[in-house]
Amino acid sequence: MIDVNLRSGVPIYKQIMDAIKEKIMNGEWIEDQQIPSIRKLSEALTINPNTIKKSYMLLEQEGFLYSVQGRGSFVAKLGDALVMRQKEEIKSDMRALINKARRLGLSEKDLQEMFNDLYGS
């Protein structure tokens, strides 16, 4: 299911959003698949239902979920714009890591080896 770390500095609603996004992006949850209801996830995580509702609402706004009145929430079709936005986010994260590596004196070869090790695992 979804894991939350109550001691983390990351807000719970954001942890839930990130976990759901990951499940969708890695194909664990597929298009039109119904996801756990707010009540069910709230009980499983022992989290206030309003927190789950906030996560679902924000994920709907971002295009990851859609809801059907009286039926629940479902995985939305990931459009090209959403995929492009995700790629840009990854590119931005990579840029920040490259800058950090440069400050630490790591070479491009060092980074490439790290990337190959991690990407292959």
Side-chain angles (χ1 to χ4, degrees):
M1 188 163 263
I2 292 174
D3 293 319
V4 247
N5 180 351
L6 301 176
R7 296 175 189 241
S8 168
V10 178
I12 294 169
Y13 81 91
K14 178 79 168 104
Q15 291 182 51
I16 293 167
M17 288 178 67
D18 291 344
I20 291 173
K21 284 180 187 179
E22 185 176 327
K23 287 181 179 295
I24 293 170
M25 296 302 284
N26 73 18
E28 189 176 335
W29 287 1
I30 60 171
E31 182 181 336
D32 295 325
Q33 177 180 343
Q34 186 170 14
I35 66 170
S37 70
I38 291 170
R39 181 182 300 141
K40 184 177 179 180
L41 190 57
S42 171
E43 290 171 358
L45 298 176
T46 61
I47 301 291
N48 186 309
N50 291 328
T51 302
I52 309 295
K53 184 176 181 177
K54 178 179 182 177
S55 299
Y56 282 21
M57 182 187 70
L58 292 171
L59 286 166
E60 236 182 280
Q61 290 174 4
E62 290 184 18
F64 284 93
L65 301 178
Y66 68 92
S67 60
V68 176
Q69 186 70 28
R71 293 203 47 230
S73 296
F74 299 82
V75 176
K77 178 179 180 176
L78 295 183
D80 293 339
L82 181 59
V83 172
M84 289 303 295
R85 188 169 60 200
Q86 293 295 314
K87 285 183 180 180
E88 287 302 316
E89 188 177 309
I90 290 169
K91 191 174 181 179
S92 175
D93 292 346
M94 289 175 75
R95 185 175 292 115
L97 288 172
I98 289 169
N99 288 336
K100 183 177 181 179
R102 283 182 178 147
R103 286 192 304 273
L104 293 172
L106 296 174
S107 70
E108 183 179 345
K109 183 180 177 187
D110 293 333
L111 286 175
Q112 189 65 46
E113 287 174 3
M114 285 182 209
F115 177 83
N116 290 339
D117 287 346
L118 293 172
Y119 198 79
S121 38

